[in-house]
Amino acid sequence: PPHVWRINLDTPEEAQQNLSFGAADRWWEQTDLTKLILASNKLQSLSEDVQLLPALTVLDVHDNQLTSLPSALGQLENLQKLDVSHNKLQSLPEELLQLPQLRSLLLQHNELSHLPEGLGQLLSLEELDVSNNHLTDIPTSVALLVNLVRLNLACNQLKDLPSDLSAMRSLRQLDCTKNYLETVPSKLATMASLEQLYLRKNKLRSLPEFPSCKLLKELHAGENQIEILNAENLKHLNSLSVLELRDNKIKSVPEEISLLQKLERLDLANNDISRLPYTLGNLPQLKFLALEGNPLRTIRRDLLEKGTQELLKYLRSKIQDDGPGPSEEPPVTAMTLPSQARVNMHAITSLKLLEYSEKQAAEIPEEMFDAVGTNPVATVNFSKNQLREVPPRIVELKDSVCDVNLGFNKISSISLELCRLHKLTHLDFRNNVLTSLPKEMEALTRLQIINLAFNRFKVFPSVLYHLPALETILLSNNQVGSIDPVQLKGMDRLGTLDLQNNDLLHVPPELGNCENLRTLLLEGNPFRTPRAAILAKGTAAVLEYLRSRIPT
C-alpha cells in the first residue's frame, strides 16, 4: 500500500481531529521506520518510493514474486540486512553495491545467472547466500569481502571457484554443495579462519590439502568421485570433528587418520573400503563411525551393527594382537567358510551359524535345515539370493536363533513363521521389496536392531512402536512420509533412528522430546526445516531445535 512508503512523512489521520493526545500518542515525536517486513506475499515489484524510508536497517521481502529490485535501494544507506530470497530475480541493480552498512545479503532461491562484478564493494558484508540460483561463475571481486563470515554457493552450476577466495580472511563457513566442481583451488587451503567446508554432491576426484586450515572443524565431501584419501589431505586438520566422505569410491583409509585426535563423526559409508587401519580404534573422541556399504573383509557384519563403541573396541583389541600393522588373514566369517560344500557342518556346530548366502538361489535347499538336527543355531545368513519369501522351515530354529539376515533378496512380506522366532535380537531385511510389517511381529519382544533400508515402505511400520526392546531402527531409502513422535517417545530404549532419503515433508517438533535418541539421521528428505546447517550439527542440536519449535 502506498502509505507504507510515506509512513515517515504523513501525519496520522487522528491528527486531523482536535483531540488531546496522551504521552503514547505524540505522533510528532515518532522515530523513523527502521524495519520493514513484507515477506510471503505476492508482490511483483517494489516502488522506487522505498527511498522515503532512509532509516531502514532491515528490509525483508523474501518469498514474493519479484522479478527485479528498484534502483532506489541504493539510497538506503543505513540498511544492514536485505532478504530478497525466494523470488524470481534474474539480475541485481548496480545501485545495490552502494550500501556501506550492509551486513547480510540473502539472495537464495532466485533465477540469477550472474552476480554484479562490483560485489566486492560491499565491504561490511558478513553473510552472503546465493544458493539455489543458476550461477556458472563467481566474480573475482568477492575476494575483497574480507569481513565475510558465511558464504553459501550451494545448488548452482559452478565448475570452479576463484582461487582469490583465499583472501577472505574472516570466512568461517563455505558451502559449495551440489555444483559441478572437479577440483578445489589449492590456495583455498590457506584460509586460516575456515571452520566448516561443504563440498558434497560435486565431481571431485580428490580432496585438497589443508596446510593452514588449523581451525577446520567440519569437512563434508560425500557424494563425489573421490578414489584416494592421502595422508597429506588429513594430517594438518588438528581441529577436525566431522569428516563426511560417504558415497565416494575410496579404497583405503591411511593410518594417519589416527592423527585427527578431535574427530567425533566419521562417515565412510558406501565406498570401496576393504580394510581399516586398526589405529582408528585409538581416536579418543569418536562417537559415530559409519561403514555400511563397504566390502570390508576383516570385520564381521554383525559387529558393524553393534554400533561405534563395540567396533572401536574390536579395532583396539586388534592393535594388541597385531603388532605393527594389519597383515593378518581375514577371520572366518559368513563370507569365507573353511569348506565349500553345500552344508558346512563346522559352521553349524562350532560357529552356530547356518549360512547360505550369495548363491542367487530362489529357495534354501532342504538339506540345509535337515543338517541342523539338534544343534542350536544362533545366526542365520540367507542374504544375497533371489528369495521371494521367508523360508518356512526357519521356524524350526525358534528356540535358539537370535540373528537373522535375509538382506538383498526379493521378499515382499514377512511370514508368520518369522514372527515365532521369539529369541530374535537382530533382524536384517535391507534391500528387499517390503511395503509393510505384520501386526504379529509384536511377539518379537527381544528384538533390538531391525534393518529395513532400501525397501518400499510408504508409511512408518506401526508395529515397530510396540517392540519394547528396540534400540536401532534403520529405515533409510524408503518412501516414508510421516512419523508419530508421541509413539516414538514411548520407545525408551530407542537410541538410533535412521530415516535418511525418505519422503518426509514435515518433521514434527515433538520429535525433540525423544531425548533417548543418540543418533537421528534425517538427511535427504524434502522437508524445509530443520535446515541442512542444523542437521549438520548432529542429533543433540536437532532435538534441541525441534523442542524450541513446539507450540506452547
Side-chain angles (χ1 to χ4, degrees):
H3 67 264
V4 171
W5 305 121
R6 302 188 55 82
I7 200 165
N8 291 346
L9 307 176
D10 296 349
T11 49
E13 283 174 21
E14 58 267 31
Q16 313 305 328
Q17 301 155 20
N18 192 5
L19 301 172
S20 60
F21 291 99
D25 298 325
R26 296 163 67 93
W27 52 266
W28 55 90
E29 291 181 0
Q30 78 169 25
T31 56
D32 282 354
L33 190 71
T34 58
K35 291 186 182 176
L36 179 56
I37 299 177
L38 301 166
S40 300
N41 283 289
K42 296 183 178 173
L43 301 175
Q44 294 181 350
S45 63
L46 284 182
S47 164
E48 295 283 348
D49 284 346
V50 70
Q51 63 195 2
L52 300 176
L53 300 172
L56 278 187
T57 58
V58 174
L59 177 58
D60 182 350
V61 287
H62 83 266
D63 190 20
N64 278 282
Q65 294 169 15
L66 301 175
T67 52
S68 64
L69 295 173
S71 52
L73 276 182
Q75 299 185 35
L76 303 180
E77 55 185 36
N78 293 298
L79 200 62
Q80 295 177 17
K81 176 174 182 178
L82 176 60
D83 187 347
V84 291
S85 61
H86 293 271
N87 278 287
K88 298 179 177 175
L89 301 175
Q90 295 181 351
S91 63
L92 300 173
E94 289 289 327
E95 289 79 2
L96 198 62
L97 309 176
Q98 298 162 13
L99 299 172
Q101 315 255 9
L102 195 65
R103 293 200 189 129
S104 173
L105 178 56
L106 304 180
L107 299 164
Q108 67 268 32
H109 290 275
N110 277 288
E111 296 169 14
L112 299 170
S113 55
H114 63 281
L115 296 173
E117 267 310 315
L119 199 60
Q121 295 168 37
L122 296 171
L123 291 177
S124 301
L125 211 56
E126 295 172 10
E127 177 179 34
L128 175 60
D129 190 337
V130 291
S131 60
N132 291 280
N133 278 285
H134 307 318
L135 302 174
T136 52
D137 57 18
I138 299 295
T140 47
S141 74
V142 166
L144 301 173
L145 302 175
V146 290
N147 292 306
L148 202 67
V149 175
R150 285 186 297 282
L151 175 58
N152 191 341
L153 305 171
C155 303
N156 279 289
Q157 294 159 26
L158 303 173
K159 291 199 171 71
D160 44 41
L161 295 173
S163 57
D164 300 351
L165 283 186
S166 55
M168 301 167 85
R169 57 173 182 261
S170 306
L171 198 67
R172 292 210 293 264
Q173 185 182 53
L174 175 59
D175 191 343
C176 303
T177 305
K178 207 169 180 190
N179 278 284
Y180 300 117
L181 302 176
E182 292 180 16
T183 56
V184 174
S186 54
K187 277 175 75 176
L188 213 60
T190 62
M191 300 179 76
S193 299
L194 202 60
E195 292 179 10
Q196 293 176 309
L197 177 58
Y198 295 86
L199 297 167
R200 302 189 76 240
K201 297 192 180 190
N202 279 285
K203 296 185 182 306
L204 299 177
R205 295 193 175 279
S206 62
L207 277 180
E209 293 171 24
F210 295 99
S212 303
C213 297
K214 298 276 191 285
L215 298 178
L216 194 67
K217 293 184 176 67
E218 298 190 20
L219 174 57
H220 299 260
E223 293 190 57
N224 278 286
Q225 293 159 24
I226 298 169
E227 293 181 14
I228 296 174
L229 197 54
N230 283 327
E232 294 302 316
N233 304 138
L234 302 174
K235 66 182 187 195
H236 304 288
L237 299 175
N238 312 347
S239 302
L240 203 66
S241 67
V242 176
L243 178 57
E244 189 266 312
L245 294 165
R246 63 180 300 127
D247 297 287
N248 277 290
K249 297 175 180 173
I250 296 167
K251 294 187 171 51
S252 67
V253 179
E255 295 279 345
E256 283 76 4
I257 195 138
S258 57
L259 298 173
L260 306 181
Q261 289 288 300
K262 294 193 176 163
L263 203 59
E264 293 178 25
R265 291 175 68 85
L266 175 60
D267 190 342
L268 295 167
N270 304 327
N271 276 285
D272 298 332
I273 299 165
S274 56
R275 43 171 294 281
L276 284 177
Y278 295 138
T279 47
L280 201 59
N282 282 337
L283 287 173
Q285 316 267 343
L286 198 62
K287 299 183 182 70
F288 174 86
L289 174 61
L291 294 167
E292 66 272 12
N294 281 292
L296 288 164
R297 292 281 170 265
T298 51
I299 298 177
R300 293 202 319 276
R301 180 188 59 82
D302 62 316
L303 190 63
L304 288 179
E305 287 179 356
K306 283 182 180 161
T308 300
Q309 294 314 317
E310 287 293 313
L311 195 53
L312 295 178
K313 200 154 78 180
Y314 167 79
L315 291 170
R316 281 195 296 275
S317 74
K318 284 292 171 194
I319 298 172
Q320 280 100 45
D321 300 353
D322 201 57
S327 56
E328 58 160 44
E329 281 300 293
V332 174
T333 67
M335 290 205 252
T336 52
L337 291 171
S339 100
Q340 290 305 310
R342 286 249 284 200
V343 177
N344 186 326
M345 285 313 295
H346 165 72
I348 291 174
T349 54
S350 306
L351 303 175
K352 298 185 179 176
L353 167 70
L354 182 60
E355 197 265 347
Y356 195 80
S357 69
E358 300 194 56
K359 303 278 193 289
Q360 301 303 312
E363 50 191 39
I364 304 299
E366 297 293 329
E367 70 227 59
M368 293 300 296
F369 291 102
D370 296 340
V372 172
T374 57
N375 288 296
V377 165
T379 304
V380 172
N381 181 3
F382 294 157
S383 64
K384 299 189 179 171
N385 283 297
Q386 302 280 327
L387 304 178
R388 293 184 179 276
E389 59 174 15
V390 178
R393 286 186 65 184
I394 204 166
V395 74
E396 296 169 18
L397 313 173
K398 69 179 190 324
D399 292 326
S400 59
V401 72
C402 48
D403 182 344
V404 170
N405 183 356
L406 283 159
F408 297 92
N409 280 290
K410 295 182 175 175
I411 297 169
S412 59
S413 65
I414 287 186
S415 65
L416 300 184
E417 286 90 355
L418 189 95
C419 301
R420 291 175 58 197
L421 306 179
H422 57 94
K423 292 195 171 169
L424 216 50
T425 59
H426 290 60
L427 186 55
D428 190 340
F429 266 101
R430 77 182 88 172
N431 293 73
N432 277 282
V433 289
L434 297 173
T435 55
S436 63
L437 299 180
K439 189 175 185 313
E440 287 76 7
M441 274 183 74
E442 281 188 14
L444 303 179
T445 53
R446 299 189 190 180
L447 193 62
Q448 294 170 9
I449 296 179
I450 188 163
N451 190 341
L452 300 167
F454 291 95
N455 275 280
R456 299 190 181 166
F457 290 96
K458 287 194 163 61
V459 292
F460 189 95
S462 56
V463 69
L464 297 182
Y465 295 128
H466 305 293
L467 293 172
L470 265 185
E471 295 170 10
T472 298
I473 298 176
L474 306 176
L475 247 178
S476 67
N477 297 281
N478 281 280
Q479 296 149 36
V480 174
S482 64
I483 44 177
D484 183 338
V486 180
Q487 301 225 52
L488 279 171
K489 186 171 178 355
M491 303 180 71
D492 297 338
R493 299 192 185 172
L494 190 64
T496 298
L497 177 59
D498 184 353
L499 290 164
Q500 293 178 99
N501 302 321
N502 275 282
D503 292 345
L504 294 174
L505 283 164
H506 169 67
V507 181
E510 294 76 12
L511 189 59
N513 289 329
C514 299
E515 294 184 27
N516 294 330
L517 281 177
R518 292 284 161 270
T519 304
L520 171 64
L521 302 173
L522 296 169
E523 286 81 0
N525 280 284
F527 55 76
R528 295 280 291 276
T529 55
R531 300 267 183 198
I534 291 175
L535 295 182
K537 290 179 182 170
T539 301
V542 172
L543 294 178
E544 185 182 347
Y545 169 83
L546 290 171
R547 282 196 294 278
S548 76
R549 308 274 293 199
I550 297 175
T552 46

